[in-house]
């Protein structure tokens, strides 16, 4: 009689030790879980080297950084002092600006008044000196010749 097939457990054969594996051959694990030796088609893949710790050495601070660090509070302080000075001087600045506007208005009004006075004086002077010219023109007939006189007084 035929007996049912018996399943026997396959024990994996011991593979070669890692030092016995020739170059270009690698130990791989197949999808079934079996280990096998395979040829490598590319360069041998080695694990990435461990990073070497870099000793921390203090580096000198650049000159531009020192200059900027020293100028920052100085500039900020100058701006703060200027703001305080302007706030203290604000009432005086307002008064000065009103006085300047008044001066500008007075100068403009004086200029206009001077222009009007000069114009009137000039008109009187030129009216007295202007000659009075009269013309008397006569002509006889429709196509006749015209005769005339000009008098300067």
């Amino acid at each position: 009689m035929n007996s049912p097939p018996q399943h026997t457990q396959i024990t994996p054969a011991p593979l070669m030790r890692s030092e016995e594996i020739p170059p270009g051959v690698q130990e791989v694990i197949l999808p079934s879980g079996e280990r096998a030796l395979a040829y490598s088609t590319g360069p041998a893949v080695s694990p990435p080297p461990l990073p070497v710790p870099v000793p921390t050495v203090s580096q000198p601070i650049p000159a531009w950084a020192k200059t900027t660090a020293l100028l920052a509070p100085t500039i900020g302080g100058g701006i703060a002092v200027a703001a305080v000075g302007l706030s203290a001087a604000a009432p005086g600045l307002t008064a000065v600006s009103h006085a300047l506007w008044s001066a500008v208005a007075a100068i403009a009004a004086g200029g206009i008044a001077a222009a009007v006075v000069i114009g009137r004086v000039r008109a009187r002077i030129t009216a007295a000196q202007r000659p009075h010219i009269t013309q008397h023109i006569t002509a006889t007939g429709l196509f006749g010749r015209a005769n005339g006189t000009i008098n300067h007084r």
Side-chain angles (χ1 to χ4, degrees), residues 33-140:
E34 267 186 84
R35 292 184 187 179
L37 294 177
Y39 285 103
S40 173
T41 57
V45 178
S46 61
L50 295 174
V52 178
V54 178
T56 56
V57 177
S58 63
Q59 296 185 2
I61 298 173
W64 66 266
K66 289 180 185 178
T67 305
T68 304
L70 291 173
L71 284 178
T74 306
I75 292 171
I79 291 171
V81 168
V84 169
L86 285 175
S87 68
L93 291 176
T94 303
V96 168
S97 70
H98 288 303
L100 286 175
W101 279 115
S102 300
V104 168
I107 291 171
I112 292 172
V116 169
V117 168
I118 290 172
R120 286 187 182 172
V121 169
R122 183 187 248 175
R124 284 184 186 168
I125 292 172
T126 55
Q129 293 178 352
R130 190 176 320 153
H132 187 71
I133 301 173
T134 57
Q135 294 182 1
H136 296 285
I137 300 172
T138 58
T140 55

